[in-house]
């Protein structure tokens, strides 16, 4: 088994370990939103989870059709909004990740640029 079952038991989710594993195996341990490969490393395995496409808080069913493998960052970004479809949710998550990446890169570049301009010629 490529994934330590303990990583699942620490996730607060209303599906059993057996149910969760079934979903992860169906989705080959890859996040259905960003494609993160949960089998690629221990760090990746640690963040794999199972997501309710329609959140439980919005009466989403505990049904394989409503469950997808999902990394925790994507799960956090997706939140408890309701989307028209899985494709809609995926688009939102990926757009948001891209926006966050751009902000992160902009903030990361700034101090370096400042340091470079402060250097004597
Ligand atoms: Zn993801």
């Amino acid at each position: 088994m490529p994934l330590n079952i303990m990583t699942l038991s620490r996730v607060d989710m209303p599906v059993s370990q057996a149910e969760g594993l079934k979903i992860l195996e169906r989705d080959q341990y890859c996040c259905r939103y960003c494609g993160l490969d949960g089998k690629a490393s221990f760090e990746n395995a640690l963040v794999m989870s199972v997501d309710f496409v329609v959140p439980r808080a919005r009466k989403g069913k505990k049904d394989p059709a409503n469950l997808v493998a999902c990394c925790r960052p994507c799960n956090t970004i997706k939140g408890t909004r309701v989307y028209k479809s899985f494709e809609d949710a995926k688009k939102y998550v990926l757009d948001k990740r891209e926006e966050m990446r751009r902000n992160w890169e902009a903030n990361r570049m700034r101090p370096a640029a400042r340091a470079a301009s402060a250097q004597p010629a």
Side-chain angles (χ1 to χ4, degrees):
M1 177 162 305
L3 188 77
N4 185 333
I5 197 155
M6 290 304 290
T7 62
L8 275 175
S9 66
R10 298 197 303 127
V11 179
D12 174 32
M13 59 184 191
V15 293
S16 70
Q17 288 191 358
E19 289 167 324
L21 275 174
K22 226 178 275 174
I23 300 302
L24 289 174
E25 271 176 17
R26 183 198 67 193
D27 292 343
Q28 279 138 23
Y29 296 87
C30 285
C31 174
R32 290 278 301 274
Y33 295 98
C34 72
L36 183 86
D37 183 355
K39 287 189 287 192
S41 70
F42 173 68
E43 284 72 21
N44 286 7
L46 272 181
V47 300
M48 288 311 291
S49 173
V50 173
D51 175 54
F52 278 67
V53 177
V54 177
R56 263 178 311 145
R58 310 284 182 180
K59 307 229 186 313
K61 292 204 184 77
K62 192 174 82 174
D63 181 294
N66 190 41
L67 298 169
V68 292
C70 177
C71 73
R72 264 178 262 184
C74 285
N75 189 257
T76 302
I77 292 166
K78 180 172 167 274
T80 52
R81 292 156 149 264
V82 173
Y83 305 87
K84 270 178 263 154
S85 61
F86 170 75
E87 290 308 317
D88 229 52
K90 182 173 176 175
K91 186 183 181 319
Y92 173 83
V93 170
L94 293 182
D95 286 352
K96 196 84 189 161
R97 283 185 73 112
E98 198 42 46
E99 183 189 323
M100 289 164 79
R101 180 196 301 278
R102 277 196 300 270
N103 287 338
W104 178 80
E105 280 173 353
N107 287 324
R108 192 176 61 125
M109 294 313 223
R110 219 170 288 141
R114 213 181 288 138
S117 64
Q119 267 170 18

Short mmCIF file of all heavy atoms in Angstrom, two decimals, residues 3 8 13-33 39 48-53 61-71 86:
data_model
loop_
_atom_site.label_atom_id
_atom_site.label_comp_id
_atom_site.label_asym_id
_atom_site.label_seq_id
_atom_site.Cartn_x
_atom_site.Cartn_y
_atom_site.Cartn_z
N LEU A 3 0.15 4.37 0.43
CA LEU A 3 -0.19 5.47 1.34
C LEU A 3 -0.35 4.94 2.75
O LEU A 3 -1.01 3.94 2.98
CB LEU A 3 -1.49 6.13 0.90
CG LEU A 3 -1.85 7.41 1.65
CD1 LEU A 3 -1.00 8.57 1.14
CD2 LEU A 3 -3.31 7.73 1.46
N LEU A 8 -4.78 9.12 6.68
CA LEU A 8 -6.22 9.27 6.52
C LEU A 8 -6.93 9.43 7.86
O LEU A 8 -7.85 10.21 8.00
CB LEU A 8 -6.80 8.04 5.81
CG LEU A 8 -6.75 8.05 4.30
CD1 LEU A 8 -7.25 6.71 3.79
CD2 LEU A 8 -7.61 9.17 3.76
N MET A 13 -12.79 13.63 8.58
CA MET A 13 -13.77 13.49 7.52
C MET A 13 -14.76 12.40 7.88
O MET A 13 -14.43 11.43 8.55
CB MET A 13 -13.09 13.21 6.19
CG MET A 13 -12.24 11.98 6.17
SD MET A 13 -11.42 11.87 4.57
CE MET A 13 -10.76 10.21 4.69
N PRO A 14 -15.95 12.60 7.45
CA PRO A 14 -17.03 11.70 7.85
C PRO A 14 -17.11 10.43 7.02
O PRO A 14 -18.10 9.74 7.09
CB PRO A 14 -18.28 12.56 7.66
CG PRO A 14 -17.92 13.46 6.53
CD PRO A 14 -16.44 13.67 6.58
N VAL A 15 -16.07 10.15 6.26
CA VAL A 15 -16.05 8.87 5.57
C VAL A 15 -15.07 7.97 6.31
O VAL A 15 -14.10 8.44 6.89
CB VAL A 15 -15.63 8.98 4.08
CG1 VAL A 15 -16.68 9.75 3.28
CG2 VAL A 15 -14.29 9.65 3.92
N SER A 16 -15.34 6.68 6.29
CA SER A 16 -14.46 5.75 6.99
C SER A 16 -13.14 5.62 6.23
O SER A 16 -13.03 6.03 5.08
CB SER A 16 -15.13 4.38 7.09
OG SER A 16 -15.18 3.79 5.81
N GLN A 17 -12.14 5.05 6.89
CA GLN A 17 -10.86 4.84 6.21
C GLN A 17 -11.04 3.99 4.95
O GLN A 17 -10.45 4.28 3.92
CB GLN A 17 -9.88 4.13 7.15
CG GLN A 17 -9.38 5.03 8.25
CD GLN A 17 -8.23 4.41 9.01
OE1 GLN A 17 -7.83 3.29 8.73
NE2 GLN A 17 -7.71 5.11 9.98
N ALA A 18 -11.89 2.94 5.08
CA ALA A 18 -12.09 2.06 3.93
C ALA A 18 -12.72 2.83 2.78
O ALA A 18 -12.31 2.71 1.62
CB ALA A 18 -12.97 0.87 4.32
N GLU A 19 -13.71 3.65 3.09
CA GLU A 19 -14.37 4.45 2.05
C GLU A 19 -13.39 5.44 1.44
O GLU A 19 -13.36 5.62 0.22
CB GLU A 19 -15.57 5.22 2.65
CG GLU A 19 -16.74 4.34 3.01
CD GLU A 19 -17.77 5.08 3.87
OE1 GLU A 19 -17.38 5.91 4.72
OE2 GLU A 19 -18.96 4.82 3.68
N GLY A 20 -12.61 6.09 2.29
CA GLY A 20 -11.64 7.07 1.83
C GLY A 20 -10.60 6.44 0.92
O GLY A 20 -10.26 6.99 -0.12
N LEU A 21 -10.12 5.29 1.32
CA LEU A 21 -9.11 4.60 0.51
C LEU A 21 -9.65 4.20 -0.85
O LEU A 21 -8.94 4.26 -1.85
CB LEU A 21 -8.60 3.35 1.25
CG LEU A 21 -7.48 3.61 2.24
CD1 LEU A 21 -7.15 2.34 3.01
CD2 LEU A 21 -6.22 4.11 1.51
N LYS A 22 -10.92 3.80 -0.87
CA LYS A 22 -11.54 3.41 -2.12
C LYS A 22 -11.53 4.60 -3.10
O LYS A 22 -11.23 4.44 -4.28
CB LYS A 22 -12.99 2.96 -1.86
CG LYS A 22 -13.36 1.67 -2.58
CD LYS A 22 -14.77 1.25 -2.26
CE LYS A 22 -14.89 0.44 -0.98
NZ LYS A 22 -16.28 0.15 -0.60
N ILE A 23 -11.83 5.79 -2.58
CA ILE A 23 -11.85 6.99 -3.42
C ILE A 23 -10.43 7.33 -3.87
O ILE A 23 -10.19 7.60 -5.05
CB ILE A 23 -12.44 8.20 -2.64
CG1 ILE A 23 -13.88 7.90 -2.19
CG2 ILE A 23 -12.37 9.47 -3.48
CD1 ILE A 23 -14.85 7.57 -3.30
N LEU A 24 -9.47 7.27 -2.94
CA LEU A 24 -8.08 7.59 -3.29
C LEU A 24 -7.56 6.62 -4.35
O LEU A 24 -6.85 7.01 -5.27
CB LEU A 24 -7.19 7.56 -2.05
CG LEU A 24 -7.41 8.72 -1.06
CD1 LEU A 24 -6.59 8.52 0.20
CD2 LEU A 24 -7.08 10.06 -1.69
N GLU A 25 -7.92 5.35 -4.19
CA GLU A 25 -7.45 4.37 -5.17
C GLU A 25 -8.09 4.60 -6.52
O GLU A 25 -7.42 4.52 -7.56
CB GLU A 25 -7.68 2.95 -4.66
CG GLU A 25 -6.46 2.55 -3.87
CD GLU A 25 -6.53 1.20 -3.21
OE1 GLU A 25 -7.39 0.38 -3.58
OE2 GLU A 25 -5.71 0.98 -2.32
N ARG A 26 -9.37 4.89 -6.52
CA ARG A 26 -10.07 5.17 -7.78
C ARG A 26 -9.39 6.34 -8.51
O ARG A 26 -9.19 6.31 -9.72
CB ARG A 26 -11.53 5.52 -7.50
CG ARG A 26 -12.36 5.77 -8.77
CD ARG A 26 -13.64 6.52 -8.47
NE ARG A 26 -13.37 7.87 -8.02
CZ ARG A 26 -14.27 8.67 -7.44
NH1 ARG A 26 -15.49 8.24 -7.23
NH2 ARG A 26 -13.94 9.89 -7.06
N ASP A 27 -8.98 7.36 -7.74
CA ASP A 27 -8.37 8.56 -8.34
C ASP A 27 -6.84 8.46 -8.37
O ASP A 27 -6.15 9.44 -8.60
CB ASP A 27 -8.80 9.81 -7.56
CG ASP A 27 -10.29 10.08 -7.75
OD1 ASP A 27 -10.88 9.53 -8.70
OD2 ASP A 27 -10.86 10.83 -6.95
N GLN A 28 -6.32 7.26 -8.14
CA GLN A 28 -4.87 6.99 -8.18
C GLN A 28 -4.05 7.92 -7.29
O GLN A 28 -2.96 8.32 -7.64
CB GLN A 28 -4.38 7.02 -9.63
CG GLN A 28 -4.67 5.72 -10.34
CD GLN A 28 -5.17 5.96 -11.76
OE1 GLN A 28 -4.90 7.00 -12.35
NE2 GLN A 28 -5.87 5.01 -12.30
N TYR A 29 -4.65 8.29 -6.14
CA TYR A 29 -3.95 9.11 -5.15
C TYR A 29 -3.50 10.46 -5.70
O TYR A 29 -2.55 11.04 -5.22
CB TYR A 29 -2.74 8.36 -4.55
CG TYR A 29 -3.14 7.13 -3.77
CD1 TYR A 29 -3.30 5.90 -4.39
CD2 TYR A 29 -3.36 7.21 -2.38
CE1 TYR A 29 -3.70 4.77 -3.67
CE2 TYR A 29 -3.76 6.10 -1.66
CZ TYR A 29 -3.92 4.88 -2.32
OH TYR A 29 -4.30 3.78 -1.61
N CYS A 30 -4.18 10.92 -6.76
CA CYS A 30 -3.87 12.23 -7.32
C CYS A 30 -5.00 13.20 -7.00
O CYS A 30 -6.16 12.85 -7.14
CB CYS A 30 -3.71 12.15 -8.84
SG CYS A 30 -2.16 11.39 -9.33
N CYS A 31 -4.61 14.40 -6.62
CA CYS A 31 -5.61 15.44 -6.37
C CYS A 31 -6.37 15.70 -7.66
O CYS A 31 -5.77 15.95 -8.69
CB CYS A 31 -4.92 16.72 -5.88
SG CYS A 31 -6.07 18.10 -5.70
N ARG A 32 -7.70 15.63 -7.59
CA ARG A 32 -8.50 15.82 -8.80
C ARG A 32 -8.55 17.28 -9.22
O ARG A 32 -9.02 17.61 -10.30
CB ARG A 32 -9.92 15.29 -8.56
CG ARG A 32 -9.99 13.77 -8.47
CD ARG A 32 -10.03 13.09 -9.82
NE ARG A 32 -11.16 13.49 -10.62
CZ ARG A 32 -12.37 12.95 -10.56
NH1 ARG A 32 -12.59 11.94 -9.76
NH2 ARG A 32 -13.34 13.39 -11.33
N TYR A 33 -8.10 18.16 -8.34
CA TYR A 33 -8.11 19.58 -8.68
C TYR A 33 -6.78 20.00 -9.32
O TYR A 33 -6.73 20.44 -10.44
CB TYR A 33 -8.43 20.43 -7.44
CG TYR A 33 -9.83 20.18 -6.93
CD1 TYR A 33 -10.05 19.31 -5.87
CD2 TYR A 33 -10.93 20.78 -7.54
CE1 TYR A 33 -11.34 19.05 -5.42
CE2 TYR A 33 -12.22 20.54 -7.10
CZ TYR A 33 -12.42 19.66 -6.03
OH TYR A 33 -13.69 19.40 -5.59
N LYS A 39 1.38 9.86 -4.41
CA LYS A 39 2.31 8.74 -4.29
C LYS A 39 3.75 9.17 -4.52
O LYS A 39 4.68 8.41 -4.32
CB LYS A 39 1.96 7.64 -5.31
CG LYS A 39 0.71 6.88 -4.93
CD LYS A 39 0.49 5.68 -5.81
CE LYS A 39 0.03 6.07 -7.19
NZ LYS A 39 -0.45 4.92 -7.98
N MET A 48 -2.84 14.39 1.28
CA MET A 48 -3.96 13.86 0.52
C MET A 48 -5.17 13.64 1.42
O MET A 48 -5.04 13.22 2.56
CB MET A 48 -3.59 12.54 -0.17
CG MET A 48 -2.65 12.71 -1.35
SD MET A 48 -3.13 13.97 -2.55
CE MET A 48 -4.60 13.20 -3.26
N SER A 49 -6.30 13.95 0.86
CA SER A 49 -7.54 13.88 1.61
C SER A 49 -8.66 13.51 0.65
O SER A 49 -8.41 13.28 -0.53
CB SER A 49 -7.76 15.24 2.27
OG SER A 49 -9.00 15.31 2.88
N VAL A 50 -9.86 13.44 1.17
CA VAL A 50 -11.01 13.19 0.31
C VAL A 50 -11.95 14.37 0.45
O VAL A 50 -12.23 14.84 1.55
CB VAL A 50 -11.72 11.87 0.72
CG1 VAL A 50 -13.02 11.70 -0.06
CG2 VAL A 50 -10.80 10.69 0.45
N ASP A 51 -12.38 14.87 -0.71
CA ASP A 51 -13.21 16.07 -0.73
C ASP A 51 -14.65 15.75 -1.11
O ASP A 51 -14.90 14.92 -1.98
CB ASP A 51 -12.62 17.06 -1.74
CG ASP A 51 -13.48 18.31 -1.92
OD1 ASP A 51 -13.79 18.95 -0.90
OD2 ASP A 51 -13.85 18.62 -3.06
N PHE A 52 -15.58 16.42 -0.45
CA PHE A 52 -17.00 16.37 -0.84
C PHE A 52 -17.18 17.46 -1.90
O PHE A 52 -17.04 18.63 -1.59
CB PHE A 52 -17.90 16.68 0.35
CG PHE A 52 -18.15 15.52 1.26
CD1 PHE A 52 -17.13 14.96 2.01
CD2 PHE A 52 -19.41 14.96 1.36
CE1 PHE A 52 -17.36 13.89 2.83
CE2 PHE A 52 -19.65 13.88 2.19
CZ PHE A 52 -18.63 13.34 2.93
N VAL A 53 -17.46 17.07 -3.14
CA VAL A 53 -17.62 18.07 -4.20
C VAL A 53 -18.73 19.04 -3.79
O VAL A 53 -18.54 20.25 -3.79
CB VAL A 53 -17.93 17.39 -5.56
CG1 VAL A 53 -18.18 18.44 -6.64
CG2 VAL A 53 -16.77 16.49 -5.97
N LYS A 61 -23.88 14.56 -0.51
CA LYS A 61 -24.01 13.17 -0.09
C LYS A 61 -22.66 12.46 0.04
O LYS A 61 -21.72 12.77 -0.67
CB LYS A 61 -24.89 12.40 -1.08
CG LYS A 61 -26.33 12.85 -1.05
CD LYS A 61 -27.24 11.72 -1.56
CE LYS A 61 -28.69 12.17 -1.63
NZ LYS A 61 -28.95 13.02 -2.81
N LYS A 62 -22.63 11.49 0.95
CA LYS A 62 -21.46 10.64 1.10
C LYS A 62 -21.59 9.52 0.09
O LYS A 62 -21.89 8.39 0.41
CB LYS A 62 -21.40 10.08 2.52
CG LYS A 62 -20.06 9.44 2.83
CD LYS A 62 -19.97 9.02 4.27
CE LYS A 62 -20.64 7.68 4.49
NZ LYS A 62 -20.45 7.17 5.85
N ASP A 63 -21.37 9.90 -1.18
CA ASP A 63 -21.57 8.98 -2.28
C ASP A 63 -20.33 9.09 -3.15
O ASP A 63 -19.82 10.20 -3.35
CB ASP A 63 -22.81 9.47 -3.04
CG ASP A 63 -23.16 8.58 -4.21
OD1 ASP A 63 -22.36 8.52 -5.18
OD2 ASP A 63 -24.22 7.94 -4.16
N PRO A 64 -19.81 7.97 -3.67
CA PRO A 64 -18.58 8.05 -4.48
C PRO A 64 -18.68 9.09 -5.59
O PRO A 64 -17.68 9.71 -5.95
CB PRO A 64 -18.45 6.64 -5.05
CG PRO A 64 -19.15 5.77 -4.07
CD PRO A 64 -20.28 6.59 -3.51
N ALA A 65 -19.89 9.33 -6.10
CA ALA A 65 -20.06 10.31 -7.16
C ALA A 65 -19.80 11.73 -6.65
O ALA A 65 -19.50 12.62 -7.43
CB ALA A 65 -21.47 10.22 -7.75
N ASN A 66 -19.90 11.90 -5.34
CA ASN A 66 -19.70 13.24 -4.76
C ASN A 66 -18.36 13.35 -4.03
O ASN A 66 -18.06 14.37 -3.43
CB ASN A 66 -20.85 13.54 -3.78
CG ASN A 66 -20.84 14.99 -3.33
OD1 ASN A 66 -20.60 15.90 -4.12
ND2 ASN A 66 -21.06 15.22 -2.04
N LEU A 67 -17.54 12.30 -4.11
CA LEU A 67 -16.26 12.30 -3.40
C LEU A 67 -15.11 12.24 -4.39
O LEU A 67 -15.15 11.47 -5.36
CB LEU A 67 -16.17 11.10 -2.44
CG LEU A 67 -17.22 11.06 -1.32
CD1 LEU A 67 -17.20 9.69 -0.63
CD2 LEU A 67 -16.99 12.16 -0.31
N VAL A 68 -14.07 13.05 -4.15
CA VAL A 68 -12.88 13.01 -5.01
C VAL A 68 -11.63 13.08 -4.15
O VAL A 68 -11.65 13.66 -3.06
CB VAL A 68 -12.83 14.19 -6.03
CG1 VAL A 68 -13.93 14.05 -7.07
CG2 VAL A 68 -12.91 15.53 -5.33
N ALA A 69 -10.55 12.51 -4.65
CA ALA A 69 -9.25 12.66 -3.99
C ALA A 69 -8.86 14.12 -4.13
O ALA A 69 -9.07 14.73 -5.17
CB ALA A 69 -8.21 11.76 -4.66
N CYS A 70 -8.30 14.68 -3.06
CA CYS A 70 -8.04 16.11 -3.04
C CYS A 70 -6.92 16.40 -2.05
O CYS A 70 -6.89 15.82 -0.97
CB CYS A 70 -9.33 16.80 -2.60
SG CYS A 70 -9.22 18.58 -2.44
N CYS A 71 -6.00 17.29 -2.44
CA CYS A 71 -4.96 17.66 -1.48
C CYS A 71 -5.55 18.74 -0.56
O CYS A 71 -6.51 19.42 -0.92
CB CYS A 71 -3.70 18.15 -2.19
SG CYS A 71 -3.82 19.78 -2.93
N PHE A 86 -18.45 19.75 -10.73
CA PHE A 86 -17.06 19.51 -10.34
C PHE A 86 -16.13 20.36 -11.21
O PHE A 86 -15.17 20.94 -10.71
CB PHE A 86 -16.70 18.02 -10.47
CG PHE A 86 -15.23 17.78 -10.33
CD1 PHE A 86 -14.63 17.83 -9.09
CD2 PHE A 86 -14.44 17.54 -11.45
CE1 PHE A 86 -13.26 17.65 -8.96
CE2 PHE A 86 -13.07 17.35 -11.32
CZ PHE A 86 -12.48 17.40 -10.07
#
